Structure formats: structure tokens, C-alpha cells
Amino acid sequence: MKKHTVKITVNGKEHQSEIDARTLLTHFLRDHLNITSTNIGCDTSQCGACTVLVNGESVKSCTQLAVQMDGAEITTAANDQISDIEVIKRNFHESHGLQCGYCTPGMVMSSHELLKQNSNPSDDEIRDALHGNICRCTGYHNIIEAVKKSAAEIREGAAS
Amino acid sequence: MNQQSPISKTQNLSQGYIGKSVPRREDARLLDGAGQFIDNMKLPNMTYSAVLRSPYAHARLLSINTEEALSLKGIVGILTGEDLKGKVGLIRPNWIAGQDIQIPDHPVLAFDKVNYTGDAVAFIVGESREAVQDALEMIEVEYEVLDPIIDEEEAFQEGAVQIHEGIKNNRAGKPLMAWGDYRKAAEEADQIVSLKLINNRLIPSAMEPRVLLASFDKYSEKLEMYIPSQVPHLHRRWISDTLGWPEHKIHLKVPDIGGGFGAKMHLYVEEILVAYAAKHFGCPIKWTETRSESHLSTHHGRAHTQYIDLAIKNDGTVLGLKLKLFANMGAYLSNMATGVPSVNCTYFANGNYNIPNYFAQTNLIFTNTVPVDAYRGAGRPEATYLIERSMDKVAEVLGMDPLEVRRKNVIQKFPHNFYDSGSFLKCMEEAKSSFKYEEKRELQAQAREEGRYLGIGIINYTESCGMAPSTVLGNLGFDRGGYESAEIKVHPDGKVTLFTGSTPQGHGHHTSFAQIVASELQIPMEDVEVITGDTEAVPVGVGTYNSRSMAVGGSAAKICAGKVIEKAKKYAALKLRCKEESVLYQEGHFFTEENEKRIPFAKIARMAAVPHHKPEDVTPGLDQLYTHDPISMSSPNGSHAAFVEVDIETGKIEILEYLAVDDAGNLINPMLAEGQIHGGIAQGIGQALYENTVYSEDGQLLSGSLLDYAVPKADQLPSFKTDFLYTPTQTNPLGAKGIGEAGTIAAPPALVSAVCDALKPFGIDHIDMPLTPPKIWKAIQSASQDKGGAS
Ligand code: FES
Ligand code: FES
């Protein structure tokens, strides 16, 4: 099988790799780069456990081929340089928004994207924004709380 | 245990960290995506593997040709049923509940026949994920397709296809459970009310699929395997039994697990395949289930058809209950499969009520489907659903308020034959008032005038948690111990490590167990490390199921810590120059009434670790190992309430409010307990409204992925209101009862009750779960036709 060369920046670090055309972004991150913050929960793009940001937009990394990502900037939950992501993580922790934690990195990334677009979402808007991320443990209640608290903190931070 | 436990509205536990909502120490790595999930791990020279599964529900296996697949680049080897014959044992159930249970052979890889779509036929090991996937396509299997049977009642009919040779009517057994005299109750009754209920088949759907990683060291002849297990010590025993390998040469390690919900405590063929192949091919092997594969191979839950007769008085008193149950076992008997319907369900089918006469017959039926076993709640959801639907039916027939019928029959005296303690009536009253029942009835009446259909469902549940003691489990045919272990190692600097056999899958044991030990030892929580899920680090263990972690494992930890202090007092006595009996321990210091001097715990730890001065007949060190086998199980209870609106144009249900009032005795970490309630309710609502496992007539699993099996999403659930009562159990020193399954048990009847209440004007008194919009819409249409429209 023909190999393709791609240059992909993940969490600020550039990686050049030779990959098969069929390599999914999620497998590329996990198997080639050992970045484990993209959990795989399904094979039909339902669960969102693999969500990352590609050039700032949330994407299910199991539905993208790594070759399509040539030149892209990817952000995963492992990125500790983005203060909003850190705020979201802290609130997930404080509000008990995670149990087994398998869905969590994906939840954090989807929440981050939501809060970039809508700094003051209602409960319904949060639930709507997260409907592509399945959590089997928490019942979402505390996740919604965590996102609401994060929104308020990020707004305050921006105002001060 | 004959004094009544006090019911209270506030938890009165100010001892150290117990009763405090301490945030979890396990969160940081999970939030960063640095969780130690098995699929994240790699071993040097690791290979990948895949299972070839039967595409047919029922077929004879005529031949398997692996030649072409074997010739593919990167393929290490392939195993078929023939290869394992005589080398690998059968998969055996672990709970034989009832007399004359028929156990069909369950080979690890099928050799003459496959019995469900997904049944394992061959196992491929190769150098990459891709290679094994390609090889899967190239194995040629010749089948002679047989008629399958899917439905548990049809499978029982005379003349139905027989799945296992010698097992007539596809019935594995027919356990009975009875007390009083149902026949007499039926004669004395004013009337008999009957219902038929289907308890829908569910797919547990932990977000992390099953995954294994094994290596075998030929020099030490030892297997090391990472396994997502709720019960690692039990898994070790079962693997040892099946492979005939010595138990002490099997080392299982359980890192982070992405949810279990019961499904990760059964023995699966893959565990045997990966272990065997790691030795056979001499290379480390990883196996990762895909989600679609998970639907076809990880064991399902529920799947009952229930026929209920209630002998009642016209004042609402229930004199007797007769139950005929058809429990779908799937193709083989899985671990706990027989016990789930015939003990966990039928033993608790009287729910929170006095039912003096009871007769239950359970038919355990084989079908050509994925095996069915314990899934969160395991029998208690099926029991609670049937008795709560029954209470509603009685209310309906007699024109009584559903809460009045419940009040009439509710158990009020504890201890009761079944329950150590409880707050059944109190919880119901609490739920009724905080839910503002009367107000909601008014709202409902007003809404009806406007052509809107609101419904209220308030239900009661109880469950039994902490399967124990061992002697009772033995009598029930449950081949496990009812104990849990705790070992505390006291390091010379006074910090400690707890090793517990209780194994979390997102529960937060590393935090809550540290709370218990730190409180008992009166040292900072930071000084307590908790180790779980390792069959060598943890000397003995049973595991996590039946909400037993706190009640059994937590109690073991508390008692063990108490023993550390007892021993430390012997050293302290030497230091304080006094008798052991006069040593006191408070705020982490040893002292006596006479002696002002206060010696910190760490100092005694050091003294015991370097025992230059040692009391006579006392061994060095403070380490303790304790296994706690409780005197009995304990019974949490609660009342859940749902308020819904049904859109009769579309059949869509909106949950306007959901309230849970639970009493699980003392809560070690209320925040974690509440999290368990939330997650349980979500799964319970899933069963009530969304989730269903559908097979086609020819045995294909139509709910084959998360596209076709509707696990609830964030926009399909409401926020929950939770409230607690605290009736500590006397059956363990923590007074904790267990909370993990409550929501899964309570939510289905609460929702169905509320929806049926909303549809009362149409004369609808029951619809089987899941209550999907088309089902509701159709029920309304046919009811309107029958009755000439809603009144
Ligand atoms: S793994 Fe990507 S959406 Fe499920
Ligand atoms: S925390 Fe387990 S799936 Fe969300």
C-alpha cells in the first residue's frame, strides 16, 4: 500500500509521518503519536469519545482520514496551554462531571467549542451542543452543571 | 438486630472525611485523556487479534478453511474449535440457582454448531489491526443454516426448534419460589387482576468496549493479562478452571475501566482465547472489541416475559401474587444468568409490600441470541417494574389513588423477613410532598381541559445489596464468597496503602476508600493511597457488583484500619510506659489519661517498622489483612417520581420533572452517591423510553450499533432532583447500604407509570417499554378507535 507523508500539528507540536491512506485520524493520534486523549467508543461516529478540535472546530476524529489533516492544527484534551480548557476541566472535576472518564476528553472538547461560540448557553443549548457525545455513567446532569459554571467563569475572566 | 434503625433526614457523621463530598483524586488523569485504559497500552512485540463470528443465529458448522487467511502477510496464526479440543475447557456458569438446571456445553470456539449471531468460530492473531481485519474476510466457513428461535415464549412451545441436544422445550430449568398459599388467597380474594409485561432486552453499553492485553512468560510459565474486570480475583479463578492452568500463575491487572454495569463481571470466550493464544503463539496479544461487535458478544440484560395474577380485596389489599416468568437466557448459560431471574427477581417481586401469599415459577429459556446475564440492577429492575405496574393496575381497577393502594400494602415494620431496615412509607411521603403531588394533580386536571396530557408516576423500590454472607451464597448455589478483603500496609513514615478487592469502573473507590481509611486512622487523606484491581498486589478479593463496594469492601477497610490502631496501641503502650488498655487514640495521637505526652501515629509506625523496642509476643510492623464477611445483605430503598407530558399528536414524551428520594443508609461521599443515582436514573430512563434490543426473525441483531440502539443523549434527559433519607443498616459497621443500582431499578416504573397516567383518558393502562413515540401514537390511535375518542 502506498504511503503518504503528512505534517500535522498536535497541541502545538509538529509531527511529520508516513501513513497509509486508510489510517483514521483517531488511529493516527493513538497508534502513531501515542496521544490517548481520543478514546474510541464506537464505529459509527455516535459517541463522540474521540472528539478533537481541528483548526478550532470540533471533529470526531474517527470519521476523518489522517491524510486529510495535512497541515492542520489539532487540539486534544491533553493540551494544557488553553486556559478555557483548563477551566472546563476544573469544573468537570469540581461538579463531579465524570465517572469512568471514557467520554470525558470528548466532552471537554465539545464543551470548549460550545463556549467559544456561545458564552452564555442555556441548559437546553448545552444539552443540544453535547448531543453528539454519549456518556453512559453520569446522566449528564453534572456535566451540564460543569459547563454552566465554566461559562460563567470564562465570562467573568473575559470581563475583568 | 431487633431494634429498629432510626430514620433521619440528615446524616449525622462528622467523623473525619466520612460523609463529606470530597472531589475525586482520579479525575486529573482522566480529564487530560491520560487514563490508563487498556487500549492505550502497548507491549513490546505486541500483536493484534480478532474473532471471526458466526453470521447465522443457528447453523451447523461443516468446515472451516483458514489456508488463504494464514498465507496473508503479517498473520501469526489462527485458532479454530478443533485446535482447542481437549486443551481448553468449557465456559461454565457460576450461579446454579434452582434444582435440575441443565447446562449445555459452551465451547470457547464453536466446533459443530453455532448458536447465535456473533458466536465465536475462529481467532486470528496478526502483526497489525489491519492484517487481522483483512484475514477475517478470508477465512472460509461452510454452514448448514438451521431455523433459529429468538423469542423466549416461542422457544418454549411444543415442537419449537431445539437448540441444545437433550434440553427439552429449550428450558434450562424451572425454579420455584413460594410462600404462604396463593391458591387459598385466590379463593378469598374479591377479584383477580392479571397483567402481562415484557421487560425489554438491553445492551449494557459501557462507553469503553471490552479490551484485553495478555502476555505469557514461558520461563516462569506465567500469564499476565490486563482485563477490564469488575471481579479480577474471580476472573482469575475462572480462567484457571477453564484452561487448567494454576491460579497462582495467572496475574490479572485492572487499570482504568470505561464503565462496567455488570457486563464486565462475566467470563467471556475472548479472555480464554487471548490467554491461550498468548502462550500458544508466544507473543503478547491485544484484543479490542468494536462497538458493533460489543452488541453481538458482550452479554445483554433483562429480556423477560412476565405473567402476573394478583389476588386482591376491593379495599386495595393485595392478598397474593402469582408470577409466571419466561427469562431469555440467550444461547448459553452465562455466569450469573440463572440466578438473576430466579432469585434476584422472584425473591424480591413483592417489592416494598406485604404480600402474604406468593407463588412464582421461572422458566429459564434458551434462544439463539447473545447470552443474557446481570446488567445494572440484575433482577431487581424486573421485580420492581412488575410489582409497581401491578400496584398501578390495582388502583386502576378499583378506581383508587395509586399512592393509596401503595400505602395500604406497604411494609412498615423492620427488621422484616427480607429487609434489615427501611424507610418505605417515609420515603413515599417525602417524595409525595417534595414532588407537590396534590398541586401536580391540579395542574394535570387543568391541562386536560386544554387538551394537554400530563402524567404523574410515583413508585417505590427496594433492593438487596452486598451479596453475603458466604454461607448463604453457598445455599443459593452462588459459587462465590460473600466477603471482601482489605489489606493496609503501614509505611515507616506513617503513610499507608490500602489494597482492596473491590474494583472500581468509574465509582471513585480511590477517593471514597481513602476517606474511610483516613477517617479511621485519623490521618490526612493525602497519606492514604488506594490500590485496586491487581490479583497479586491485592492478596484476595471478590469484586464489585450488587452495590457491594461500600457495604462490604468499605466495611472491610474500616475494620482493617481499626486493627492497625489496635496493634499500634501495643507499641504505644511501651512508649508511654503503661498498659495497652489505657492507651487512647485521638486526632492521630496516642496518649493516656495520666500522661500528657502525645505520640503521633507516624512515630509508632516507625517504631514498629524498626522494632528495636518491641512489646513481647508482638510481630514487627503494623500491617493488617482483614476479610469481612457480613452477617447479611442490606436493603436500600426509595421512591422516585416522574412528571411527564405526552404529545398525543406525535407520541413524544417530555420529562418535565424527575425526583429521586433514596435511602441507602450512611453515605461515605454524598457527591459520589448522587452521581451514582444520576447515572442509574439515566440508564433506567433509557430502558423506559429509548433502549431496545431487536432481533429479526432469522436471528440477525438489528440493534447492531449505537446507530440502532438508542442510548440516551444529553438532550433526551432532564436534570434530576435528588433527596436522601438516612436509615443506617446494622449489618455493617459503616451503616452503608449501597446505591449503585437504585436509579436503574426505580426509573422504568416511574416513567411508565407517569406516561400511562397521562394516557388514562384514552383508557390506556399499560404500554410495554421502550415507550417510543410510534408506540405511544399507535396506542392512542387504536384506543381512540375502540373507545370513540378520549373523554
Ligand atoms: S469513536 Fe468517534 S464518535 Fe465514537
Ligand atoms: S463518565 Fe463514563 S462514559 Fe462518561
Side-chain angles (χ1 to χ4, degrees):
Chain A
M1 201 169 284
K2 187 171 170 277
K3 296 273 182 192
H4 300 259
T5 307
V6 288
K7 253 192 212 158
I8 304 177
T9 305
V10 185
N11 298 333
K13 205 170 145 206
E14 195 187 87
H15 301 267
Q16 180 164 328
S17 309
E18 298 270 298
I19 52 172
D20 281 353
R22 65 172 161 180
T23 309
L24 293 170
L25 175 57
T26 176
H27 286 141
F28 171 73
L29 293 170
R30 294 175 57 80
D31 296 346
H32 295 245
L33 305 186
N34 290 322
I35 291 174
T36 54
S37 48
T38 50
N39 292 330
I40 302 176
C42 70
D43 32 44
T44 50
S45 291
Q46 303 301 300
C47 77
C50 64
T51 306
V52 297
L53 301 186
V54 175
N55 300 328
E57 275 183 31
S58 79
V59 155
K60 290 181 175 173
S61 61
C62 68
T63 50
Q64 306 283 316
L65 293 167
V67 286
Q68 293 172 283
M69 297 294 131
D70 195 19
E73 291 251 3
I74 292 174
T75 308
T76 78
N79 188 324
D80 57 6
Q81 298 306 310
I82 299 177
S83 66
D84 289 1
I85 294 181
E86 292 304 298
V87 170
I88 294 167
K89 287 190 204 169
R90 181 166 40 72
N91 279 298
F92 266 71
H93 170 62
E94 285 169 7
S95 307
H96 190 35
L98 65 154
Q99 288 181 27
C100 77
Y102 201 75
C103 71
T104 310
M107 284 286 180
V108 168
M109 297 323 282
S110 295
S111 305
H112 174 56
E113 189 190 39
L114 164 70
L115 296 185
K116 277 199 304 178
Q117 291 163 355
N118 180 350
S119 61
N120 192 8
S122 66
D123 281 23
D124 282 348
E125 284 168 333
I126 300 172
R127 287 183 180 278
D128 198 48
L130 295 181
H131 85 263
N133 293 71
I134 297 176
C135 177
R136 189 60 161 166
C137 301
T138 64
Y140 306 104
H141 179 114
N142 288 344
I143 293 180
I144 310 302
E145 292 302 310
V147 177
K148 266 198 296 197
K149 280 193 197 142
S150 305
E153 270 184 46
I154 293 169
R155 281 198 313 274
E156 269 168 35
S160 64
Chain B
M1 221 209 335
N2 35 23
Q3 124 214 19
Q4 183 128 357
S5 300
I7 303 173
S8 89
K9 281 203 72 177
T10 46
Q11 192 161 224
N12 189 9
L13 283 168
S14 48
Q15 193 206 351
Y17 300 95
I18 293 192
K20 303 214 164 80
S21 291
V22 179
R24 299 199 318 171
R25 45 170 66 166
E26 32 284 84
D27 288 355
R29 67 170 185 279
L30 297 169
L31 283 159
D32 283 350
Q36 287 290 301
F37 297 110
I38 299 169
D39 201 38
N40 296 347
M41 299 177 179
K42 283 179 188 161
L43 292 177
N45 302 320
M46 185 179 88
T47 60
Y48 296 81
S49 63
V51 177
L52 179 70
R53 301 183 182 280
S54 165
Y56 301 110
H58 197 197
R60 229 165 261 300
L61 211 50
L62 301 179
S63 68
I64 305 183
N65 182 347
T66 56
E67 236 169 79
E68 212 188 329
L70 271 172
S71 69
L72 216 68
K73 192 171 165 271
I75 294 302
V76 172
I78 298 177
L79 296 171
T80 66
E82 288 298 328
D83 298 322
L84 302 187
K85 253 190 189 166
K87 296 182 187 131
V88 170
L90 300 168
I91 302 281
R92 299 270 307 172
N94 183 244
W95 194 357
I96 316 291
Q99 307 296 315
D100 304 321
I101 298 289
Q102 315 255 352
I103 306 171
D105 283 358
H106 182 189
V108 169
L109 288 172
F111 32 88
D112 4 279
K113 210 164 146 253
V114 288
N115 291 315
Y116 66 96
T117 307
D119 209 348
V121 172
F123 185 67
I124 307 176
V125 179
E127 284 162 8
S128 68
R129 266 180 223 276
E130 291 78 15
V132 292
Q133 286 306 323
D134 290 347
L136 266 188
E137 316 270 314
M138 295 168 84
I139 298 180
E140 287 165 27
V141 188
E142 209 184 327
Y143 293 98
E144 175 196 331
V145 179
L146 305 170
D147 284 338
I149 189 107
I150 304 306
D151 181 86
E152 57 268 18
E153 273 192 282
E154 279 172 28
F156 182 62
Q157 299 301 319
E158 277 310 320
V161 173
Q162 196 166 316
I163 300 173
H164 298 290
E165 215 173 295
I167 300 186
K168 226 180 140 260
N169 296 112
N170 295 308
R171 185 162 70 175
K174 45 174 181 174
L176 290 178
M177 185 76 75
W179 57 80
D181 184 347
Y182 178 79
R183 208 172 304 183
K184 196 152 153 262
E187 279 164 21
E188 283 166 12
D190 290 328
Q191 52 178 315
I192 306 288
V193 174
S194 301
L195 291 95
K196 176 188 175 190
L197 301 173
I198 308 282
N199 210 290
N200 41 329
R201 183 183 185 109
L202 303 177
I203 298 178
S205 308
M207 286 326 295
E208 181 200 32
R210 284 188 297 125
V211 45
L212 300 162
L213 175 56
S215 63
F216 189 89
D217 179 66
K218 66 178 177 182
Y219 302 106
S220 60
E221 297 204 304
K222 198 159 175 185
L223 173 80
E224 297 233 350
M225 180 148 81
Y226 290 96
I227 177 173
S229 170
Q230 301 176 216
V231 289
H233 292 85
L234 300 184
H235 262 119
R236 181 178 62 170
R237 186 178 321 147
W238 301 331
I239 293 168
S240 158
D241 287 346
T242 314
L243 286 170
W245 296 357
E247 208 171 312
H248 70 286
K249 297 275 192 180
I250 299 172
H251 180 188
L252 301 185
K253 291 182 270 191
V254 184
D256 286 323
I257 308 186
F261 315 121
K264 289 176 182 164
M265 68 159 157
H266 315 316
L267 178 67
Y268 291 94
V269 299
E270 291 83 3
E271 288 147 16
I272 304 301
L273 285 168
V274 171
Y276 179 83
K279 179 179 180 189
H280 184 78
F281 295 119
C283 53
I285 301 179
K286 183 190 269 187
W287 172 76
T288 309
E289 188 183 55
T290 64
R291 175 61 50 188
S292 308
E293 214 182 356
S294 168
H295 287 218
L296 283 175
S297 66
T298 296
H299 296 173
H300 296 171
R302 319 279 193 259
H304 286 190
T305 303
Q306 306 170 331
Y307 291 90
I308 301 149
D309 284 340
L310 289 156
I312 62 166
K313 284 282 185 199
N314 283 341
D315 68 352
T317 311
V318 179
L319 300 178
L321 171 68
K322 189 170 99 177
L323 177 63
K324 187 174 185 182
L325 192 67
F326 292 89
N328 198 325
M329 298 281 100
Y332 305 104
L333 290 185
S334 173
N335 275 60
M336 291 173 60
T338 59
V340 172
S342 48
V343 178
N344 285 10
C345 176
T346 55
Y347 199 66
F348 298 106
N350 62 310
N352 298 42
Y353 311 102
N354 280 304
I355 299 185
N357 304 289
Y358 176 67
F359 180 87
Q361 186 185 71
T362 308
N363 296 291
L364 305 166
I365 308 290
F366 290 116
T367 59
N368 293 115
T369 60
V370 175
V372 177
D373 202 332
Y375 158 58
R376 199 174 192 175
R380 280 77 46 88
E382 297 90 315
T384 305
Y385 185 71
L386 83 87
I387 190 64
E388 290 301 320
R389 292 307 298 133
S390 296
M391 288 293 152
D392 283 348
K393 180 82 181 185
V394 173
E396 176 69 31
V397 168
L398 299 176
M400 282 173 75
D401 182 287
L403 288 184
E404 260 328 292
V405 174
R406 286 172 165 86
R407 181 190 306 277
K408 233 193 160 101
N409 294 289
V410 76
I411 295 168
Q412 297 197 45
K413 277 217 178 78
F414 299 95
H416 173 272
N417 279 351
F418 295 93
Y419 311 119
D420 66 297
S421 61
S423 52
F424 296 180
L425 184 60
K426 193 91 203 285
C427 266
M428 187 166 95
E429 278 167 354
E430 195 63 35
K432 188 177 168 185
S433 75
S434 41
F435 199 57
K436 304 204 171 72
Y437 183 67
E438 317 292 346
E439 241 173 66
K440 288 215 160 64
R441 285 274 175 229
E442 279 168 31
L443 279 175
Q444 181 184 41
Q446 280 166 21
R448 271 189 197 162
E449 279 172 22
E450 299 158 18
R452 286 172 56 215
Y453 293 84
L454 305 183
I456 301 159
I458 300 189
I459 66 90
N460 301 317
Y461 80 89
T462 181
E463 58 172 322
S464 253
C465 291
M467 292 208 66
S470 297
T471 44
V472 170
L473 301 189
N475 293 337
L476 287 171
F478 195 40
D479 187 21
R480 300 180 187 185
Y483 61 87
E484 194 51 272
S485 72
E487 183 179 35
I488 294 176
K489 285 210 155 101
V490 181
H491 307 293
D493 58 359
K495 300 189 191 326
V496 305
T497 305
L498 168 75
F499 298 84
T500 168
S502 193
T503 309
Q505 315 106 54
H507 299 75
H509 286 20
H510 294 96
T511 305
S512 54
F513 278 71
Q515 287 179 255
I516 295 170
V517 172
S519 303
E520 196 67 18
L521 295 179
Q522 307 179 28
I523 58 177
M525 246 186 96
E526 302 78 72
D527 291 356
V528 182
E529 190 193 19
V530 178
I531 304 287
T532 62
D534 186 315
T535 58
E536 290 201 342
V538 180
V540 278
V542 176
T544 296
Y545 57 93
N546 190 235
S547 301
R548 67 197 297 281
S549 289
M550 278 306 137
V552 191
S555 295
K558 179 180 161 81
I559 298 168
C560 188
K563 294 194 178 291
V564 168
I565 295 299
E566 264 171 50
K567 188 165 183 196
K569 279 184 177 170
K570 294 185 201 285
Y571 279 95
L574 199 68
K575 199 101 193 149
L576 292 164
R577 297 173 202 281
C578 68
K579 284 212 181 84
E580 186 191 328
E581 299 80 63
S582 34
V583 178
L584 301 172
Y585 186 61
Q586 244 174 36
E587 291 165 5
H589 289 77
F590 298 91
F591 58 98
T592 66
E593 294 210 352
E594 298 76 42
N595 198 334
E596 282 286 280
K597 199 162 136 199
R598 294 165 63 84
I599 311 174
F601 178 76
K603 201 151 196 174
I604 298 297
R606 179 69 176 237
M607 181 184 174
V610 189
H612 297 158
H613 305 285
K614 189 175 79 59
E616 259 174 60
D617 301 330
V618 175
T619 51
L622 299 178
D623 299 359
Q624 296 291 322
L625 167 66
Y626 183 76
T627 48
H628 175 58
D629 205 343
I631 48 169
S632 86
M633 301 176 77
S634 59
S635 37
N637 66 273
S639 301
H640 284 206
F643 190 40
V644 302
E645 174 160 8
V646 182
D647 179 344
I648 62 158
E649 301 292 327
T650 61
K652 194 171 178 306
I653 294 159
E654 191 184 346
I655 304 172
L656 305 172
E657 196 174 320
Y658 192 98
L659 167 76
V661 179
D662 294 281
D663 185 342
N666 292 334
L667 305 179
I668 308 308
N669 183 323
M671 179 179 82
L672 300 190
E674 207 175 290
Q676 289 289 318
I677 291 282
H678 290 168
I681 296 170
Q683 290 184 9
I685 294 178
Q687 169 165 29
L689 304 189
Y690 307 111
E691 297 177 36
N692 199 18
T693 311
V694 184
Y695 276 94
S696 70
E697 265 179 28
D698 61 357
Q700 290 301 321
L701 179 59
L702 301 179
S703 321
S705 74
L706 287 174
L707 273 173
D708 322 287
Y709 183 83
V711 165
K713 314 272 178 72
D715 57 346
Q716 290 171 310
L717 293 176
S719 280
F720 315 116
K721 292 187 180 156
T722 49
D723 210 344
F724 288 96
L725 289 182
Y726 306 91
T727 312
T729 178
Q730 316 276 330
T731 64
N732 69 58
L734 284 172
K737 296 185 172 183
I739 196 75
E741 297 159 285
T744 336
I745 295 170
L751 263 299
V752 176
S753 182
V755 171
C756 292
D757 182 55
L759 298 178
K760 223 169 153 185
F762 297 92
I764 293 171
D765 64 4
H766 180 71
I767 304 175
D768 281 319
M769 301 183 287
L771 304 179
T772 57
K775 222 191 248 179
I776 302 281
W777 186 84
K778 270 189 216 149
I780 295 170
Q781 297 311 306
S782 57
S784 306
Q785 269 162 18
D786 292 350
K787 305 235 156 79
S791 51

